Amino acid sequence: MAINRYTKMAYDSADDMIFGKCKHPVKTGLGLEIGGGYTTPEINYAPRPEAGASKEKLVKEYQRITTDIMNRMVQVGFPAVVLETEHVEQMTNNPTWGGEVAHAQKTIMEEFHDEYGIKCALRHTPGDIREDRDYLDLRGDKFTVLMESFEEIAANGADMLSLESMGGKEVFDYSILRNDVPGMLYAIGCLGTMDMDFIWQEISSVAKKHGVVSAGDTDCSEANTAMFIGGGLLDKNLAHTLAIIARAISAPRSLAAYEAGAVGPGKDCGYENTIIKAISGVPISQEGKTSTCAHSDVMGNVVMQCCDLWSNESVEYHAEFGGTSVQCWGESLAYDCALMNTATATGQEKTLRDLFMLSDKYRDPQGYVLAYDNAYRVGEAIVKDGNDIYLRAKNAALKSVEIMEEGIAGKLEMTKFEKGALADAKAALMALTDDQDTFMSDCMTKYKEEVKVFLPENYGL
Amino acid sequence: MTSLDIDPSDILVRYNVKLEKAMTPKDAAAELYPKDELYRQIAVAIFDGEEDDVIEGLEKAIAAGKNPIALIDDALMVGMKVVTDLYDQGTIFLPNVMMSADAMLDGIEFCKSQSDEAPVSKGKVVCHVAEGDVHDIGKTIVAALLRANGYEVVDLGRDVPVDEVIEAVKAEKPLMLTGTALMTTTMYAFKAVNDRLLEASLNVPFACGGGAVNQDFVSTYDLGIYGEEAADAPKIADKILAGSSISALKEEFHKH
Ligand code: B12
């Protein structure tokens, strides 16, 4: 499959973006249309650790999880649901295991669909196993196993294929702990995008062959790492102003999946997805206040603003007072979707969207930049130089800096520390060349020397 | 575009802004630098994370007759302590500590190269990420903060088999072992490490942390001490040096 870069926005204005609708809805699974006018819960789960002991135990665990979720959905009268299975490592490393789990889950979903007519679809996300103990190994033997895993799940019932790929992570891990913004730009914007181009052409071919959906990726390994290191308001491991610059840079990187044949829905933990929806018009999954079972962040409501699927990221399967964990979290998600869909049915959707957005906009620089009006502007900066993976990432970073500066002049309060980190980041970005080749070769020299585990051949360099 | 807007102070509090110290990091550091001009220059270079200036400062001090090995404690460690104290107070952030630690380590290497004596460290710590787990950023932070506090770190990396951990403890005889795990599926390796250490009568304190790990879990094995944040690692090591027993460490660091 070829790469087609985005050089135009899918939406004429930010105000046209809304939850539950997108420019290019995706039909998938059993009667489901994603982004076609309604939001749908996407429930994620992890097996209990002891279930990983054998294939039989794992399959059984996922059967229980699937049955529990489907039961709860019909018990409370929800019209549609998506299940996402993020593989535990054994399921990807043994491709047939993943396939068997997909088959077992889909069989149950089909039974519920036949009996109740509930619309549903299954997403599978293999683990990005392309690494050895010390080094990334993006194009070697592990890559072959990963692709076999995609083949197996696609052939056995998965409706949507996703991945949280790791290209650029070795340089990123080094840079993020050193406030090195050019390093982040190189890691995510350049190396990350190059690996995305590579892997998503492959995944899209598999999807095409099996008639399933090539769904999309997230910059979990980099932008979310920054978000986690940033932590809460009182943590002191990373300025949140830098975390959001990493996020802005991740948008063109995750966009590359759709340039290589993916069609959405983008994956839940990609907080960069609002920017991507603005550019590409693909449907997106998001997580926020309903993923507190998996992590805490400062953007619980704002990310709901334009979601098409609404997710809980992941919860370990176990008993709660209200049923099993997947039932409890699934029910919460589905009620949120019912509220959004009610807003749509009564013509109040833009008001609800703006309430979601405003309740977090000034909580933190991250939410401020991702508020859909600002996210749209980051998108415009990306498509302006859409054909140059370096420049568009640099544009995204600079635009996020500009947006934060406006925020400081307005209602966004920041500490001196956050402002200082922002000013340093801006200076570092302004000092950079506009020439991709110069930047790439400078970085290659620098990071080959400084990052012991950086192997350029992972990127075909 | 939306016309709705809000006065955010009605709905949220940015506690970090409210509580921020009045002093800038530079001013706060200036109060803590050593008075001796030769040492001071080195300390400032460490604070700024400038390797080249650190070496330059060391060269000057050595030319003025200072003992290279003594400079490690008198200048490099003193400069680094300014950084870690300010980090503990919340005045500066982790990346500054990392950059300063890089500069300090370069300085130590330089001092060693200028002398035949070997420096004595505060003690040795072995760090690792649990078998099957590749999440290593927390471990990298723990290792950096330990080094920043004057400990020698043997970093075994990530996804480290239990056997390898035991071998390293036997070979290195550290004053403490640390383990990081971010997955509920991998943290059980800590129990295996604990059991194997006890079998071999290696009663080394085993500080454990990382996203998935919690105090209840760590309390179930004898050598385990739960550490909530990376900054606890050097604090635990300091207490071990001061003679705390494992049960006293559990008492102090198990906060929940
Ligand atoms: C970044 C990340 C990744 C990156 C890791 C990059 C790297 N080099 O580390 C990548 C993309 C590689 C990754 C991969 C995977 N991940 Co991951 N990942 C995360 C994420 C988003 C953040 C983790 C992080 O870096 N936090 C920041 C660091 C600084 O925090 P920390 O390590 O906890 O350390 C702090 C403290 O704990 C403490 N500390 C740490 N160690 C010690 C030790 C001592 C002695 C002391 C005192 C203190 C201390 O100090 C630090 C700062 O104070 C978490 C989400 C979450 N909720 O945690 C998921 C998460 C950990 N990942 C998860 C999963 C499932 C995976 C994968 C299996 C996904 C897949 N299907 O492929 C693979 C795992 C592969 C493997 N075999 O390990 C799950 C684990 C669920 C579970 N079973 O428990 C999580 C929780 C996400 C979720 N909610 O589902 N991941």
PDB file of all heavy atoms in Angstrom, chain A residues 87 127 166 169 173 221 225 228 294 313-314, chain B residues 132 134-136 138 180 182-184 207 209-211 227 229-230, ligand 1:
ATOM      1  N   HIS A  87      -3.597  -7.757  23.641  1.00  0.00           N
ATOM      2  CA  HIS A  87      -2.963  -9.048  23.915  1.00  0.00           C
ATOM      3  C   HIS A  87      -2.034  -9.002  25.116  1.00  0.00           C
ATOM      4  O   HIS A  87      -1.310  -8.032  25.303  1.00  0.00           O
ATOM      5  CB  HIS A  87      -2.118  -9.485  22.717  1.00  0.00           C
ATOM      6  CG  HIS A  87      -2.939  -9.946  21.562  1.00  0.00           C
ATOM      7  ND1 HIS A  87      -2.404 -10.689  20.531  1.00  0.00           N
ATOM      8  CD2 HIS A  87      -4.247  -9.801  21.263  1.00  0.00           C
ATOM      9  CE1 HIS A  87      -3.355 -10.971  19.644  1.00  0.00           C
ATOM     10  NE2 HIS A  87      -4.486 -10.428  20.074  1.00  0.00           N
ATOM     11  N   GLY A 127       0.475  -7.178  21.072  1.00  0.00           N
ATOM     12  CA  GLY A 127       1.534  -6.399  21.699  1.00  0.00           C
ATOM     13  C   GLY A 127       2.621  -6.133  20.675  1.00  0.00           C
ATOM     14  O   GLY A 127       2.881  -6.981  19.817  1.00  0.00           O
ATOM     15  N   MET A 166       6.121   1.084  18.697  1.00  0.00           N
ATOM     16  CA  MET A 166       7.148   1.644  19.576  1.00  0.00           C
ATOM     17  C   MET A 166       8.293   2.347  18.864  1.00  0.00           C
ATOM     18  O   MET A 166       9.291   2.672  19.500  1.00  0.00           O
ATOM     19  CB  MET A 166       7.739   0.521  20.416  1.00  0.00           C
ATOM     20  CG  MET A 166       6.734  -0.108  21.341  1.00  0.00           C
ATOM     21  SD  MET A 166       7.512  -1.144  22.551  1.00  0.00           S
ATOM     22  CE  MET A 166       8.378  -2.302  21.511  1.00  0.00           C
ATOM     23  N   LYS A 169      11.161   4.860  20.367  1.00  0.00           N
ATOM     24  CA  LYS A 169      11.108   4.829  21.827  1.00  0.00           C
ATOM     25  C   LYS A 169      12.486   4.899  22.497  1.00  0.00           C
ATOM     26  O   LYS A 169      12.633   5.516  23.548  1.00  0.00           O
ATOM     27  CB  LYS A 169      10.385   3.555  22.247  1.00  0.00           C
ATOM     28  CG  LYS A 169      10.277   3.339  23.723  1.00  0.00           C
ATOM     29  CD  LYS A 169       9.473   2.094  24.017  1.00  0.00           C
ATOM     30  CE  LYS A 169      10.302   0.836  24.081  1.00  0.00           C
ATOM     31  NZ  LYS A 169      11.166   0.750  25.260  1.00  0.00           N
ATOM     32  N   ASP A 173      13.026   7.742  25.207  1.00  0.00           N
ATOM     33  CA  ASP A 173      13.242   7.481  26.640  1.00  0.00           C
ATOM     34  C   ASP A 173      14.434   8.280  27.165  1.00  0.00           C
ATOM     35  O   ASP A 173      14.447   8.734  28.308  1.00  0.00           O
ATOM     36  CB  ASP A 173      13.489   5.983  26.892  1.00  0.00           C
ATOM     37  CG  ASP A 173      12.217   5.164  26.819  1.00  0.00           C
ATOM     38  OD1 ASP A 173      11.129   5.764  26.652  1.00  0.00           O
ATOM     39  OD2 ASP A 173      12.292   3.921  26.920  1.00  0.00           O
ATOM     40  N   SER A 221       3.639   4.670  23.650  1.00  0.00           N
ATOM     41  CA  SER A 221       4.999   4.435  24.140  1.00  0.00           C
ATOM     42  C   SER A 221       5.783   5.726  24.332  1.00  0.00           C
ATOM     43  O   SER A 221       6.790   5.729  25.014  1.00  0.00           O
ATOM     44  CB  SER A 221       5.739   3.492  23.202  1.00  0.00           C
ATOM     45  OG  SER A 221       5.951   4.128  21.961  1.00  0.00           O
ATOM     46  N   THR A 225       3.918   8.062  27.821  1.00  0.00           N
ATOM     47  CA  THR A 225       5.000   7.988  28.805  1.00  0.00           C
ATOM     48  C   THR A 225       5.260   9.394  29.350  1.00  0.00           C
ATOM     49  O   THR A 225       5.392   9.586  30.565  1.00  0.00           O
ATOM     50  CB  THR A 225       6.273   7.413  28.168  1.00  0.00           C
ATOM     51  OG1 THR A 225       5.963   6.126  27.635  1.00  0.00           O
ATOM     52  CG2 THR A 225       7.377   7.263  29.192  1.00  0.00           C
ATOM     53  N   PHE A 228       2.545  10.309  31.713  1.00  0.00           N
ATOM     54  CA  PHE A 228       2.657   9.613  33.007  1.00  0.00           C
ATOM     55  C   PHE A 228       3.799  10.160  33.837  1.00  0.00           C
ATOM     56  O   PHE A 228       3.678  10.303  35.049  1.00  0.00           O
ATOM     57  CB  PHE A 228       2.854   8.112  32.794  1.00  0.00           C
ATOM     58  CG  PHE A 228       1.573   7.429  32.504  1.00  0.00           C
ATOM     59  CD1 PHE A 228       1.146   7.231  31.210  1.00  0.00           C
ATOM     60  CD2 PHE A 228       0.753   7.012  33.540  1.00  0.00           C
ATOM     61  CE1 PHE A 228      -0.061   6.635  30.939  1.00  0.00           C
ATOM     62  CE2 PHE A 228      -0.459   6.408  33.271  1.00  0.00           C
ATOM     63  CZ  PHE A 228      -0.866   6.226  31.963  1.00  0.00           C
ATOM     64  N   ALA A 294      -7.415   2.552  35.171  1.00  0.00           N
ATOM     65  CA  ALA A 294      -6.119   2.205  34.596  1.00  0.00           C
ATOM     66  C   ALA A 294      -5.045   3.245  34.882  1.00  0.00           C
ATOM     67  O   ALA A 294      -3.880   2.919  35.003  1.00  0.00           O
ATOM     68  CB  ALA A 294      -6.247   2.021  33.085  1.00  0.00           C
ATOM     69  N   GLU A 313      -9.801   2.197  28.842  1.00  0.00           N
ATOM     70  CA  GLU A 313      -8.385   1.809  28.695  1.00  0.00           C
ATOM     71  C   GLU A 313      -8.094   0.362  29.042  1.00  0.00           C
ATOM     72  O   GLU A 313      -7.664  -0.393  28.197  1.00  0.00           O
ATOM     73  CB  GLU A 313      -7.421   2.699  29.493  1.00  0.00           C
ATOM     74  CG  GLU A 313      -5.977   2.191  29.312  1.00  0.00           C
ATOM     75  CD  GLU A 313      -4.900   3.074  29.895  1.00  0.00           C
ATOM     76  OE1 GLU A 313      -5.229   4.054  30.571  1.00  0.00           O
ATOM     77  OE2 GLU A 313      -3.726   2.774  29.636  1.00  0.00           O
ATOM     78  N   SER A 314      -8.311  -0.040  30.297  1.00  0.00           N
ATOM     79  CA  SER A 314      -8.061  -1.430  30.672  1.00  0.00           C
ATOM     80  C   SER A 314      -8.423  -1.630  32.129  1.00  0.00           C
ATOM     81  O   SER A 314      -8.167  -0.763  32.958  1.00  0.00           O
ATOM     82  CB  SER A 314      -6.582  -1.776  30.479  1.00  0.00           C
ATOM     83  OG  SER A 314      -6.393  -3.149  30.683  1.00  0.00           O
TER      84      SER A 314
ATOM     85  N   GLY B 132      10.332 -10.468  32.370  1.00  0.00           N
ATOM     86  CA  GLY B 132       9.123 -10.370  31.546  1.00  0.00           C
ATOM     87  C   GLY B 132       8.604  -8.947  31.383  1.00  0.00           C
ATOM     88  O   GLY B 132       7.620  -8.713  30.686  1.00  0.00           O
ATOM     89  N   VAL B 134       9.291  -4.925  30.379  1.00  0.00           N
ATOM     90  CA  VAL B 134      10.224  -4.015  29.694  1.00  0.00           C
ATOM     91  C   VAL B 134      10.073  -2.564  30.158  1.00  0.00           C
ATOM     92  O   VAL B 134      10.791  -1.691  29.695  1.00  0.00           O
ATOM     93  CB  VAL B 134      10.052  -4.055  28.154  1.00  0.00           C
ATOM     94  CG1 VAL B 134      10.240  -5.467  27.640  1.00  0.00           C
ATOM     95  CG2 VAL B 134       8.718  -3.488  27.724  1.00  0.00           C
ATOM     96  N   HIS B 135       9.122  -2.294  31.047  1.00  0.00           N
ATOM     97  CA  HIS B 135       8.908  -0.909  31.492  1.00  0.00           C
ATOM     98  C   HIS B 135      10.078  -0.472  32.375  1.00  0.00           C
ATOM     99  O   HIS B 135      10.147  -0.837  33.532  1.00  0.00           O
ATOM    100  CB  HIS B 135       7.623  -0.802  32.299  1.00  0.00           C
ATOM    101  CG  HIS B 135       6.397  -1.149  31.524  1.00  0.00           C
ATOM    102  ND1 HIS B 135       5.894  -2.428  31.471  1.00  0.00           N
ATOM    103  CD2 HIS B 135       5.573  -0.384  30.784  1.00  0.00           C
ATOM    104  CE1 HIS B 135       4.803  -2.422  30.721  1.00  0.00           C
ATOM    105  NE2 HIS B 135       4.579  -1.207  30.289  1.00  0.00           N
ATOM    106  N   ASP B 136      10.989   0.304  31.789  1.00  0.00           N
ATOM    107  CA  ASP B 136      12.223   0.553  32.544  1.00  0.00           C
ATOM    108  C   ASP B 136      12.475   2.005  32.922  1.00  0.00           C
ATOM    109  O   ASP B 136      13.531   2.325  33.465  1.00  0.00           O
ATOM    110  CB  ASP B 136      13.424  -0.023  31.793  1.00  0.00           C
ATOM    111  CG  ASP B 136      13.618   0.603  30.422  1.00  0.00           C
ATOM    112  OD1 ASP B 136      12.822   1.480  30.035  1.00  0.00           O
ATOM    113  OD2 ASP B 136      14.578   0.210  29.734  1.00  0.00           O
ATOM    114  N   GLY B 138      10.996   3.947  35.162  1.00  0.00           N
ATOM    115  CA  GLY B 138      11.031   4.117  36.616  1.00  0.00           C
ATOM    116  C   GLY B 138      12.362   3.639  37.182  1.00  0.00           C
ATOM    117  O   GLY B 138      12.967   4.304  38.027  1.00  0.00           O
ATOM    118  N   THR B 180      11.831  -3.142  39.964  1.00  0.00           N
ATOM    119  CA  THR B 180      10.730  -2.350  39.410  1.00  0.00           C
ATOM    120  C   THR B 180       9.851  -3.278  38.581  1.00  0.00           C
ATOM    121  O   THR B 180      10.372  -4.097  37.810  1.00  0.00           O
ATOM    122  CB  THR B 180      11.288  -1.215  38.517  1.00  0.00           C
ATOM    123  OG1 THR B 180      12.059  -0.335  39.320  1.00  0.00           O
ATOM    124  CG2 THR B 180      10.172  -0.432  37.841  1.00  0.00           C
ATOM    125  N   LEU B 182       5.916  -3.074  36.411  1.00  0.00           N
ATOM    126  CA  LEU B 182       4.730  -2.288  36.080  1.00  0.00           C
ATOM    127  C   LEU B 182       3.538  -3.144  35.702  1.00  0.00           C
ATOM    128  O   LEU B 182       2.486  -2.637  35.363  1.00  0.00           O
ATOM    129  CB  LEU B 182       5.017  -1.267  34.980  1.00  0.00           C
ATOM    130  CG  LEU B 182       5.520   0.027  35.609  1.00  0.00           C
ATOM    131  CD1 LEU B 182       7.015   0.006  35.716  1.00  0.00           C
ATOM    132  CD2 LEU B 182       5.003   1.237  34.907  1.00  0.00           C
ATOM    133  N   MET B 183       3.722  -4.450  35.755  1.00  0.00           N
ATOM    134  CA  MET B 183       2.601  -5.295  35.368  1.00  0.00           C
ATOM    135  C   MET B 183       2.266  -6.268  36.489  1.00  0.00           C
ATOM    136  O   MET B 183       3.157  -6.812  37.140  1.00  0.00           O
ATOM    137  CB  MET B 183       2.931  -6.040  34.077  1.00  0.00           C
ATOM    138  CG  MET B 183       3.237  -5.082  32.935  1.00  0.00           C
ATOM    139  SD  MET B 183       3.082  -5.833  31.306  1.00  0.00           S
ATOM    140  CE  MET B 183       4.431  -6.943  31.315  1.00  0.00           C
ATOM    141  N   THR B 184       0.980  -6.477  36.678  1.00  0.00           N
ATOM    142  CA  THR B 184       0.541  -7.409  37.710  1.00  0.00           C
ATOM    143  C   THR B 184       1.057  -8.814  37.401  1.00  0.00           C
ATOM    144  O   THR B 184       1.211  -9.626  38.295  1.00  0.00           O
ATOM    145  CB  THR B 184      -0.998  -7.443  37.773  1.00  0.00           C
ATOM    146  OG1 THR B 184      -1.497  -7.562  36.441  1.00  0.00           O
ATOM    147  CG2 THR B 184      -1.540  -6.164  38.390  1.00  0.00           C
ATOM    148  N   ALA B 207      14.247  -3.341  47.928  1.00  0.00           N
ATOM    149  CA  ALA B 207      13.273  -2.255  47.743  1.00  0.00           C
ATOM    150  C   ALA B 207      12.536  -2.461  46.430  1.00  0.00           C
ATOM    151  O   ALA B 207      13.155  -2.637  45.385  1.00  0.00           O
ATOM    152  CB  ALA B 207      13.987  -0.913  47.749  1.00  0.00           C
ATOM    153  N   GLY B 209       9.282  -1.295  43.739  1.00  0.00           N
ATOM    154  CA  GLY B 209       8.334  -0.258  43.354  1.00  0.00           C
ATOM    155  C   GLY B 209       7.920  -0.433  41.908  1.00  0.00           C
ATOM    156  O   GLY B 209       8.186  -1.457  41.287  1.00  0.00           O
ATOM    157  N   GLY B 210       7.254   0.600  41.374  1.00  0.00           N
ATOM    158  CA  GLY B 210       6.764   0.535  39.991  1.00  0.00           C
ATOM    159  C   GLY B 210       5.253   0.444  39.982  1.00  0.00           C
ATOM    160  O   GLY B 210       4.638  -0.055  40.928  1.00  0.00           O
ATOM    161  N   GLY B 211       4.664   0.935  38.889  1.00  0.00           N
ATOM    162  CA  GLY B 211       3.217   1.080  38.749  1.00  0.00           C
ATOM    163  C   GLY B 211       2.339  -0.017  39.339  1.00  0.00           C
ATOM    164  O   GLY B 211       1.392   0.264  40.055  1.00  0.00           O
ATOM    165  N   GLY B 227       8.553   0.959  47.985  1.00  0.00           N
ATOM    166  CA  GLY B 227       8.896   2.363  47.753  1.00  0.00           C
ATOM    167  C   GLY B 227       7.921   2.969  46.780  1.00  0.00           C
ATOM    168  O   GLY B 227       7.749   2.473  45.677  1.00  0.00           O
ATOM    169  N   GLU B 229       7.801   6.251  45.519  1.00  0.00           N
ATOM    170  CA  GLU B 229       8.376   7.044  44.430  1.00  0.00           C
ATOM    171  C   GLU B 229       9.885   6.872  44.392  1.00  0.00           C
ATOM    172  O   GLU B 229      10.511   6.491  45.382  1.00  0.00           O
ATOM    173  CB  GLU B 229       7.973   8.503  44.549  1.00  0.00           C
ATOM    174  CG  GLU B 229       8.065   9.057  45.930  1.00  0.00           C
ATOM    175  CD  GLU B 229       7.590  10.496  46.006  1.00  0.00           C
ATOM    176  OE1 GLU B 229       6.714  10.872  45.209  1.00  0.00           O
ATOM    177  OE2 GLU B 229       8.118  11.236  46.844  1.00  0.00           O
ATOM    178  N   ALA B 230      10.437   7.200  43.242  1.00  0.00           N
ATOM    179  CA  ALA B 230      11.866   6.962  43.029  1.00  0.00           C
ATOM    180  C   ALA B 230      12.714   7.632  44.110  1.00  0.00           C
ATOM    181  O   ALA B 230      13.729   7.088  44.545  1.00  0.00           O
ATOM    182  CB  ALA B 230      12.264   7.462  41.637  1.00  0.00           C
TER     183      ALA B 230
HETATM  184  C1  B12 C   1       5.011   3.812  28.974  1.00  0.00           C
HETATM  185  C2  B12 C   1       4.300   2.472  29.021  1.00  0.00           C
HETATM  186  C3  B12 C   1       4.758   1.473  28.174  1.00  0.00           C
HETATM  187  C4  B12 C   1       6.004   1.636  27.308  1.00  0.00           C
HETATM  188  C5  B12 C   1       7.246   1.404  28.190  1.00  0.00           C
HETATM  189  C6  B12 C   1       8.434   2.267  27.811  1.00  0.00           C
HETATM  190  C7  B12 C   1       9.564   2.067  28.765  1.00  0.00           C
HETATM  191  N1  B12 C   1      10.762   2.154  28.261  1.00  0.00           N
HETATM  192  O1  B12 C   1       9.408   1.861  29.948  1.00  0.00           O
HETATM  193  C8  B12 C   1       5.787   0.483  26.278  1.00  0.00           C
HETATM  194  C9  B12 C   1       5.076   1.016  25.070  1.00  0.00           C
HETATM  195  C10 B12 C   1       7.047  -0.231  25.836  1.00  0.00           C
HETATM  196  C11 B12 C   1       4.823  -0.430  27.020  1.00  0.00           C
HETATM  197  C12 B12 C   1       4.636  -1.752  26.669  1.00  0.00           C
HETATM  198  C13 B12 C   1       3.674  -2.553  27.254  1.00  0.00           C
HETATM  199  N2  B12 C   1       2.775  -2.195  28.200  1.00  0.00           N
HETATM  200 CO1  B12 C   1       2.807  -0.515  29.115  1.00  0.00          CO
HETATM  201  N3  B12 C   1       2.554   1.120  29.954  1.00  0.00           N
HETATM  202  C14 B12 C   1       3.192   2.265  29.895  1.00  0.00           C
HETATM  203  C15 B12 C   1       2.488   3.302  30.778  1.00  0.00           C
HETATM  204  C16 B12 C   1       1.628   4.137  29.842  1.00  0.00           C
HETATM  205  C17 B12 C   1       3.378   4.226  31.614  1.00  0.00           C
HETATM  206  C18 B12 C   1       4.452   3.541  32.425  1.00  0.00           C
HETATM  207  C19 B12 C   1       5.509   4.532  32.847  1.00  0.00           C
HETATM  208  O2  B12 C   1       6.555   4.665  32.211  1.00  0.00           O
HETATM  209  N4  B12 C   1       5.256   5.293  33.892  1.00  0.00           N
HETATM  210  C20 B12 C   1       6.155   6.323  34.384  1.00  0.00           C
HETATM  211  C21 B12 C   1       7.216   5.712  35.302  1.00  0.00           C
HETATM  212  C22 B12 C   1       8.194   6.785  35.715  1.00  0.00           C
HETATM  213  O3  B12 C   1       6.544   5.203  36.442  1.00  0.00           O
HETATM  214  P1  B12 C   1       7.018   3.916  37.280  1.00  0.00           P
HETATM  215  O4  B12 C   1       7.847   3.021  36.477  1.00  0.00           O
HETATM  216  O5  B12 C   1       5.860   3.380  38.009  1.00  0.00           O
HETATM  217  O6  B12 C   1       8.054   4.530  38.344  1.00  0.00           O
HETATM  218  C23 B12 C   1       7.709   5.460  39.335  1.00  0.00           C
HETATM  219  C24 B12 C   1       7.408   4.831  40.675  1.00  0.00           C
HETATM  220  O7  B12 C   1       6.653   3.661  40.583  1.00  0.00           O
HETATM  221  C25 B12 C   1       8.745   4.655  41.306  1.00  0.00           C
HETATM  222  N5  B12 C   1       9.460   3.388  41.202  1.00  0.00           N
HETATM  223  C26 B12 C   1       9.623   2.544  40.177  1.00  0.00           C
HETATM  224  N6  B12 C   1      10.411   1.547  40.514  1.00  0.00           N
HETATM  225  C27 B12 C   1      10.811   1.725  41.765  1.00  0.00           C
HETATM  226  C28 B12 C   1      11.670   1.002  42.583  1.00  0.00           C
HETATM  227  C29 B12 C   1      11.928   1.458  43.862  1.00  0.00           C
HETATM  228  C30 B12 C   1      12.864   0.712  44.714  1.00  0.00           C
HETATM  229  C31 B12 C   1      11.322   2.658  44.335  1.00  0.00           C
HETATM  230  C32 B12 C   1      11.611   3.126  45.674  1.00  0.00           C
HETATM  231  C33 B12 C   1      10.456   3.365  43.514  1.00  0.00           C
HETATM  232  C34 B12 C   1      10.214   2.911  42.238  1.00  0.00           C
HETATM  233  O8  B12 C   1       9.556   5.638  40.700  1.00  0.00           O
HETATM  234  C35 B12 C   1       8.991   6.233  39.552  1.00  0.00           C
HETATM  235  C36 B12 C   1       8.811   7.712  39.745  1.00  0.00           C
HETATM  236  O9  B12 C   1       8.555   8.093  41.045  1.00  0.00           O
HETATM  237  C37 B12 C   1       1.642   2.375  31.725  1.00  0.00           C
HETATM  238  C38 B12 C   1       0.354   2.995  32.275  1.00  0.00           C
HETATM  239  C39 B12 C   1       0.272   2.991  33.761  1.00  0.00           C
HETATM  240  N7  B12 C   1      -0.909   3.206  34.271  1.00  0.00           N
HETATM  241  O10 B12 C   1       1.253   2.817  34.449  1.00  0.00           O
HETATM  242  C40 B12 C   1       1.386   1.159  30.825  1.00  0.00           C
HETATM  243  C41 B12 C   1       1.170  -0.221  31.452  1.00  0.00           C
HETATM  244  C42 B12 C   1       2.164  -0.432  32.569  1.00  0.00           C
HETATM  245  N8  B12 C   1       1.480  -1.115  30.324  1.00  0.00           N
HETATM  246  C43 B12 C   1       0.710  -2.158  30.261  1.00  0.00           C
HETATM  247  C44 B12 C   1       0.794  -3.177  29.272  1.00  0.00           C
HETATM  248  C45 B12 C   1      -0.304  -4.218  29.300  1.00  0.00           C
HETATM  249  C46 B12 C   1       1.841  -3.186  28.338  1.00  0.00           C
HETATM  250  C47 B12 C   1       2.053  -4.232  27.255  1.00  0.00           C
HETATM  251  C48 B12 C   1       1.854  -5.679  27.651  1.00  0.00           C
HETATM  252  C49 B12 C   1       1.168  -3.815  26.091  1.00  0.00           C
HETATM  253  C50 B12 C   1       1.118  -4.751  24.947  1.00  0.00           C
HETATM  254  N9  B12 C   1      -0.021  -5.363  24.741  1.00  0.00           N
HETATM  255  O11 B12 C   1       2.109  -4.873  24.281  1.00  0.00           O
HETATM  256  C51 B12 C   1       3.538  -3.980  26.885  1.00  0.00           C
HETATM  257  C52 B12 C   1       4.465  -4.760  27.831  1.00  0.00           C
HETATM  258  C53 B12 C   1       5.557  -5.453  27.210  1.00  0.00           C
HETATM  259  C54 B12 C   1       6.344  -6.105  28.318  1.00  0.00           C
HETATM  260  N10 B12 C   1       6.599  -7.402  28.181  1.00  0.00           N
HETATM  261  O12 B12 C   1       6.718  -5.501  29.290  1.00  0.00           O
HETATM  262  C55 B12 C   1      -0.317  -2.177  31.380  1.00  0.00           C
HETATM  263  C56 B12 C   1       0.008  -3.215  32.453  1.00  0.00           C
HETATM  264  C57 B12 C   1      -1.254  -3.930  32.917  1.00  0.00           C
HETATM  265  C58 B12 C   1      -0.931  -5.045  33.836  1.00  0.00           C
HETATM  266  N11 B12 C   1      -1.025  -6.267  33.379  1.00  0.00           N
HETATM  267  O13 B12 C   1      -0.592  -4.834  34.959  1.00  0.00           O
HETATM  268  C59 B12 C   1      -0.291  -0.663  31.837  1.00  0.00           C
HETATM  269  C60 B12 C   1      -0.630  -0.456  33.325  1.00  0.00           C
HETATM  270  C61 B12 C   1      -1.320   0.073  30.946  1.00  0.00           C
HETATM  271  C62 B12 C   1      -2.748  -0.348  31.251  1.00  0.00           C
HETATM  272  N12 B12 C   1      -3.452   0.406  32.037  1.00  0.00           N
HETATM  273  O14 B12 C   1      -3.190  -1.319  30.731  1.00  0.00           O
HETATM  274  N13 B12 C   1       4.182   0.246  28.012  1.00  0.00           N
END
